[in-house]
Amino acid sequence: QELLAATPKPPPRKYAQAQAISRDGPPLGDMVASVIIFRFSPQWKLQILGVEDWDPRKSKRRFKNGVHSSYCLCLPNGRQQTEKKSGEKEPPHFVARKEAQEEAGVSLSYDELFPVLVARRVARGEAGRDSFDKERPDDGQIIHFDHFIFACFGESLVPGTPREENVKNPAWYPIEEVLDPQVNQLWSFDHVTLIVAALKILGDMCRRWSR
């Protein structure tokens, strides 16, 4: 309810001008946002827009048919930014919209982003970040952070060229391929879990509406 009631604030000018470069530089905020862009194929098969994340930290344990992969598949997603002078942090809607633009090459309006859920996630050691600002040694410390999930019906969207150097080849993936590790072993387990939870919520809402 808080997400639905939130009105995104106009982005600071520096963000509007900096979309040709990565948004991953500090100072960073304390949350992550993703957008599930979905559509139905002409055969009425549900498809999800995914991107290849070539960040070596995320692919080091990713194997397909016993062979190490240099990337994993995930939703367009990224971390919150903080305006240096004012200390103001970006709202979740803004993060999701800008990450879709940077990583999938698609332009979304705020009206198209439907807030679905907020997941409390846990990271450990070098996979986590101290307030997401700097890498930490693998010292066993645990970091908790919020992951905001938005949904967007992208029937007419065409994936574009990513602006993030570690992200490549945005493309549509059939939901069966996303959810079945025997078909495609490269999808991030965390993102598959978030997709399942979000689709269940959306399905329950559609069921109640139809009744």
Side-chain angles (χ1 to χ4, degrees), residues 1-7 93 114-118:
Q1 291 179 346
E2 292 179 358
L3 276 176
L4 288 171
T7 300
H93 298 72
F114 182 78
V116 181
L117 64 88
V118 182

Side-chain angles (χ1 to χ4, degrees), residues 133-210:
D133 245 348
K134 60 183 179 179
E135 294 293 340
R136 301 184 305 114
D138 193 1
D139 54 9
Q141 294 186 44
I142 295 176
I143 294 174
H144 298 266
F145 63 96
D146 288 329
H147 195 142
F148 290 78
I149 302 295
F150 296 84
C152 173
F153 182 52
E155 181 181 27
S156 60
L157 291 179
V158 177
T161 302
R163 296 173 178 174
E164 164 60 51
E165 62 179 6
N166 284 328
V167 176
K168 303 177 181 179
N169 303 323
W172 295 102
Y173 292 87
I175 190 63
E176 294 84 0
E177 185 173 329
V178 176
L179 301 183
D180 189 347
Q182 299 304 316
V183 177
N184 192 327
Q185 302 166 29
L186 298 183
W187 269 91
S188 164
F189 178 79
D190 291 341
H191 284 227
V192 172
T193 303
L194 293 170
I195 290 171
V196 170
L199 291 181
K200 184 179 186 302
I201 292 173
L202 291 174
D204 289 343
M205 294 176 67
C206 288
R207 193 173 295 112
R208 290 199 301 271
W209 176 82
S210 65

Side-chain angles (χ1 to χ4, degrees), residues 6-28:
T7 300
K9 300 178 181 179
R13 183 176 297 274
K14 85 177 191 75
Y15 300 128
Q17 295 177 342
Q19 285 309 292
I21 62 175
S22 172
R23 287 170 34 82
D24 287 342
L28 303 171

